[in-house]
Amino acid sequence: NIVSMLPQDPKSLFVKKKVAEELAEMTKDSERINDVAKVCEIDGFMERHPYDLSGGEQQRVALAKVLLTEPEIILLDEPTKGMDCFFKESFAKILSKLKERDVTIVMVSHDVEFCAKYADYVSMFFDGHILTTNTAQQFFGNNIFYTTAANRMSRHIFKNAVTAEDVIWLIKKNI
């Protein structure tokens, strides 16, 4: 089993002077490198130093390095940190493709909106223990403090609406 981890600080994975060298450290297969670079939308950064990239760009380079290990289990620590909303959509598609290949994904995140939209299950950890585990819909729909903006705004009108898409669908259904 190959377990790979994307740490919260992507710089901890960088040891080379160019993004291309970072990726080549994982494999010599240039076709795989090019494919992963395209998927992570970093193909335009290959000749740049990883430290010269923005935080979100660094996160995408680190993600590419991790994906090149072809993990069976991937651990993600705050993976959406620094990502813009457009790449978060791409990132969600990457995670979906990994799940289709039976890759197990464990993610630690404070990005409740992303988790509500894309997580299969959500757990609450406290003091080294799991307090609760449920589907994202049930977890965020039944939680007063750890929930989404959509749920906070609509919970007195719609039960378990946790994403903006849920609220829009329920409004259209009830018009």
Side-chain angles (χ1 to χ4, degrees), residues 103-164:
V103 173
T104 300
I105 303 164
V106 178
M107 179 171 63
V108 176
S109 180
H110 289 93
D111 188 343
V112 295
E113 309 297 333
F114 187 85
C115 292
K117 194 168 180 179
Y118 299 110
D120 295 324
Y121 293 95
V122 178
S123 296
M124 171 68 73
F125 285 84
F126 180 75
D127 199 25
H129 301 283
I130 297 174
L131 299 179
T132 184
T133 298
N134 218 324
T135 64
Q137 190 80 20
Q138 289 296 313
F139 181 89
F140 292 112
N142 294 323
N143 206 311
I144 298 204
F145 186 73
Y146 294 103
T147 193
T148 62
N151 182 260
R152 279 193 183 95
M153 291 187 297
S154 69
R155 68 175 134 210
H156 301 295
I157 302 166
F158 302 119
K159 185 178 180 181
N160 291 331
V162 298
T163 65

Side-chain angles (χ1 to χ4, degrees), residues 5 7 44 48 51 55 60 74 83 96 108 127 132 150 172 175:
M5 180 178 174
R48 294 182 57 192
Y51 282 31
R60 290 168 17 208
I74 186 168
M83 284 183 187
S96 178
V108 176
D127 199 25
T132 184
K172 286 180 179 178
I175 289 181

Side-chain angles (χ1 to χ4, degrees), residues 22-168:
E22 291 289 349
L23 302 183
E25 180 182 40
M26 308 313 290
T27 182
K28 299 302 176 205
D29 184 339
S30 60
E31 189 173 322
R32 274 191 52 229
I33 289 172
N34 291 336
D35 288 345
V36 169
K38 191 168 286 201
V39 165
C40 292
E41 300 176 23
I42 60 168
D43 41 334
F45 309 148
M46 300 303 269
E47 295 305 309
R48 294 182 57 192
H49 194 290
Y51 282 31
D52 292 339
L53 302 174
S54 73
E57 292 166 346
Q58 288 178 350
Q59 196 76 345
R60 290 168 17 208
V61 171
L63 175 63
K65 278 189 86 166
V66 168
L67 292 178
L68 285 169
T69 67
E70 297 182 347
E72 294 175 22
I73 301 171
I74 186 168
L75 308 174
L76 306 170
D77 187 3
E78 297 292 350
T80 59
K81 184 182 88 180
M83 284 183 187
D84 61 44
C85 62
F86 300 109
F87 189 74
K88 281 185 186 183
E89 292 292 322
S90 298
F91 179 60
K93 289 176 186 167
I94 293 167
L95 295 181
S96 178
K97 287 178 186 170
L98 289 170
K99 287 184 350 183
E100 287 171 11
R101 292 192 342 225
D102 292 326
V103 173
T104 300
I105 303 164
V106 178
M107 179 171 63
V108 176
S109 180
H110 289 93
D111 188 343
V112 295
E113 309 297 333
F114 187 85
C115 292
K117 194 168 180 179
Y118 299 110
D120 295 324
Y121 293 95
V122 178
S123 296
M124 171 68 73
F125 285 84
F126 180 75
D127 199 25
H129 301 283
I130 297 174
L131 299 179
T132 184
T133 298
N134 218 324
T135 64
Q137 190 80 20
Q138 289 296 313
F139 181 89
F140 292 112
N142 294 323
N143 206 311
I144 298 204
F145 186 73
Y146 294 103
T147 193
T148 62
N151 182 260
R152 279 193 183 95
M153 291 187 297
S154 69
R155 68 175 134 210
H156 301 295
I157 302 166
F158 302 119
K159 185 178 180 181
N160 291 331
V162 298
T163 65
E165 292 81 4
D166 292 342
V167 174
I168 292 166

